[in-house]
Amino acid sequence: MRHLISILLENEAGALARISGLFSARGYNIESLTVAPTEDPSMSRMTIVSIGSDDVIEQITKQLNKLIDVIKVVDLSEAAHVERELMLIKVRAVGKDREEMKRMADIFRGNIIDVTDSTYLVELTGDSVKLDAFIGAIDNDLILETVRTGVCGVGRGDRILKA
Amino acid sequence: MVLTGAEIVIRCLQEEKVEYIFGYPGGSVLHIYDELFKQDKIKHILVRHEQAAVHAADAYSRSSHKVGVCMVTSGPGVTNAVTGIATAYTDSIPMVVISGQAPTHMIGQDAFQECDTVGITRPCVKHNFLVKDVKDLAVTIKKAFYIAQSGRPGPVLVDVPKDLGVDKCEFDYPKSVTIRSYNPATKGHSGQIKKAVQLLLEAKRPLIYAGGGIILSNTADRLTKLAHMLEVPVTNTLMGLGGFPATDKQNLGMLGMHGTYEANMAMQHADVLLAIGARFDDRVIGHPEDFASVPRKIIHVDIDPSSIAKRVKVDVPIVGNLNEVLDELIAQLKASEGKVEPKALASWWKDIDGWRKKDSLKYKMGKEIIMPQYVIEKLYEVTGGEAIVTSDVGQHQMWAAQYYKFDKPRRWLNSGGLGTMGYGLPAAMGAIFANPKTPVACVTGEGSIQMNIQEMSTCKQFRLPVKIVNLNNRYLGMVRQWQEMFYGNRYSESYVDALPDFVKLAEAYGHVGMQITKPADVEPALREAFVKHKNELVFLDFLTDPTANVYPMVANGKGLSEMVLAEDL
Ligand SMILES: Cc1cc2nc3c(=O)[nH]c(=O)nc-3n(C[C@H](O)[C@H](O)[C@H](O)COP(=O)(O)OP(=O)(O)OC[C@H]3O[C@@H](n4cnc5c(N)ncnc54)[C@H](O)[C@@H]3O)c2cc1C
Ligand SMILES: Cc1ncc(C[n+]2csc(CCOP(=O)(O)OP(=O)(O)O)c2C)c(N)n1
Ligand SMILES: [Mg+2]
């Protein structure tokens, strides 16, 4: 099962290494990892997407909680949550593809944020499925490069992760 | 008061009432060593190899419940210490390691003896710090001591760049620290404890399985009280030996790979298992699927949630400090005025007595050749069970665990989790510093002892009367045993050729050496060592049966019920 794990941690040098080190040392899988400081600059908020059985995910949250720099951990996938990912995708846009790309970007509610004679840079946000769908929908040969931020997520309504 | 960083380090350690630092100097810690020189509250024990400093600090802690402290220089000092740190980490030993580092402005430039200490040690410490500003030094050391000894204990490393040693700031040692991201469990959940009491009282075949957590939390007395109230059998892990008196009639001995028949059979057949401060290690439960195939209810008490439900499914998890959980368990049990149903219990004890009749630790005595088990039995007799016994890793370790009856905690010091050969001798040194009046024996093998044999020199310098009991079978015996059992007698690289003359070697270091070759001489030699040479280090080189194997044995990956006994062969 795919899980979205949200972590509040001390914004300290080395904290990220402790977490990534834990995943590699124990053989846990990381699909994506995002991290940045919160409104309180002494803390960072991290979202990790991992795939594992319930037992493995339980160990992951316990092992994360054990790290001294980790303030709180929650498995967002346990209840209602929202997730978003940002993708920048550069595509070839010449000839009839130019119009087609514009149309696809519109359908997916993406923005074209940079234009040259032969390329578009499309910015797209959504859950990972939507970003995958966009990639699937356009002609693969036209993709020049893609950059994805990885998923960040938050619980809905009263589910709040705070120190 | 304005002090230099080096002064601050020493002052902090004094504030923590540190008696001994085990260490080895070098460039990056010279400022600190200079301050050490100028004071006399803390004694520094100069070892001969940094690994030994860490093992000695580790055993100082294991045998006293205080935090062990060691100090090493940057680069090779740290890398030499890593095995010791990892050893302490796997067995959850509270320790603070101070390491030197290249000066702050040179970090990252491949400076002389620079290494990424925080990175190298990260996976084998409870936590570590690189201090970048002298103003953070005191509070970091305070945190290190707090983290090392609270919750599930473990080693904490503080990396101190050389320039901090001369930087100055106002010194004020905090009385306490709080760390918002670190709040170890204390009290257990009362509702869960209630469920545990109910389960235990309804049990027909209850068993207490107690581990190193009992030793680490100093709760041997509480465990004993609980066991006596319930009148149920108790088995200890290798790390839990001494947590419940070995000579108590409710004790089934050690369980696991080399556990007794009765302990493993009880583990396999119990219907309610109370696991206390034990982590269902693979050397204990054998094959997890085989273990899980037997229906039983498991109550698991541990301070570390990640120890619970890691390898087996648990019915009643209780996260908390054993001090408080056991107190509440005992109180609730008292209040309930309940007893385990006497008829069921009597029948359970009958089963156990049947298993005990197998006498799974019996062995054949030789007339000509010394059996290693016999040496340990005699060691037990000669020391009246009062010695602290350290060991290395291998067959001798298992025989020490099986045949020396530990009635008290903190008497048995060994590397269980990492299985570090080379632990024994430096551990014996640490134990003597913590317990100067107690006899200390290091049970070792001719392979292991050579991994830190240079420490005989430290023992001379500090007059440490370790009794080295070398069960010399001329083989890396544990390896040879596996090769005999699982690799068709192909003894690949397990014969130790060209052994030194240990008697002369001991003498060369300024100690007493004896070689014992006949069974009849075992006891007299031990008496001579412990009585006549009470205050000296004695190297007792026992030439033992090279073919002896450790039994019982649950082969790797097999179920507990598939034990091999000596008599089966
Ligand atoms: C050659 C060899 C053979 C071995 N054979 C065996 C064998 O036959 N049998 C055997 O048992 N072992 C054997 N071992 C040792 C084995 O590898 C493990 O080290 C050992 O079984 C672990 O012991 P433990 O479960 O008591 O856990 P420990 O490693 O001692 O862990 C202690 C547990 O207690 C918890 N704890 C700590 N403090 C507290 C507190 N205050 N409150 C609550 N909980 C606390 C910790 O979180 C941890 O989970 C062998 C090792 C070697 C090298
Ligand atoms: C540092 C280290 N290297 C290798 C091993 C693997 N190992 C485990 S037991 C053993 C043999 C130990 O031989 P010895 O000290 O003579 O003890 P014996 O088994 O013969 O009693 C070895 C090599 C280990 N545990 N530690
Ligand atoms: Mg040997």
Side-chain angles (χ1 to χ4, degrees), chain B residues 255-271:
Chain B
L255 83 168
M257 181 173 272
H258 293 297
T260 65
Y261 187 68
E262 53 270 31
N264 283 341
M265 291 304 275
M267 186 73 168
Q268 195 73 346
H269 292 277
D271 68 339

Side-chain angles (χ1 to χ4, degrees), chain B residues 395-396 445-447 471-477:
Chain B
Q395 293 182 313
H396 61 273
E446 78 298 329
L471 301 182
N472 185 346
N473 51 10
R474 279 80 75 209
Y475 276 99
L476 302 175

Side-chain angles (χ1 to χ4, degrees), chain A residues 10 18 42 59 62 66 68, chain B residues 128 180-181 304-306 308:
Chain A
E10 297 291 347
R18 286 181 211 282
S42 72
Q59 265 300 311
K62 284 174 169 179
K66 213 165 128 173
I68 307 289
Chain B
N128 58 18
R180 67 175 164 187
S181 55
D304 177 359
S306 77
I308 298 179

Side-chain angles (χ1 to χ4, degrees), chain B residues 213-289:
Chain B
I214 296 286
I215 313 287
L216 293 165
S217 62
N218 271 353
T219 49
D221 49 342
R222 289 177 179 79
L223 168 65
T224 307
K225 188 167 171 190
L226 177 72
H228 286 163
M229 282 171 79
L230 287 164
E231 298 176 63
V232 302
V234 180
T235 177
N236 288 125
T237 66
L238 181 73
M239 301 313 293
L241 296 178
F244 183 70
T247 53
D248 191 294
K249 62 182 191 322
Q250 281 170 241
N251 197 324
L252 309 186
M254 182 171 85
L255 83 168
M257 181 173 272
H258 293 297
T260 65
Y261 187 68
E262 53 270 31
N264 283 341
M265 291 304 275
M267 186 73 168
Q268 195 73 346
H269 292 277
D271 68 339
V272 174
L273 184 63
L274 173 58
I276 313 178
R279 53 188 177 81
F280 291 90
D281 188 85
D282 47 279
R283 297 240 152 173
V284 168
I285 61 167
H287 197 280
E289 269 150 42

Side-chain angles (χ1 to χ4, degrees), chain B residues 393-396 419-421 445-448 451 473 475-479:
Chain B
V393 174
Q395 293 182 313
H396 61 273
T420 308
M421 289 171 70
E446 78 298 329
S448 295
M451 286 216 179
N473 51 10
Y475 276 99
L476 302 175
M478 188 56 97
V479 173

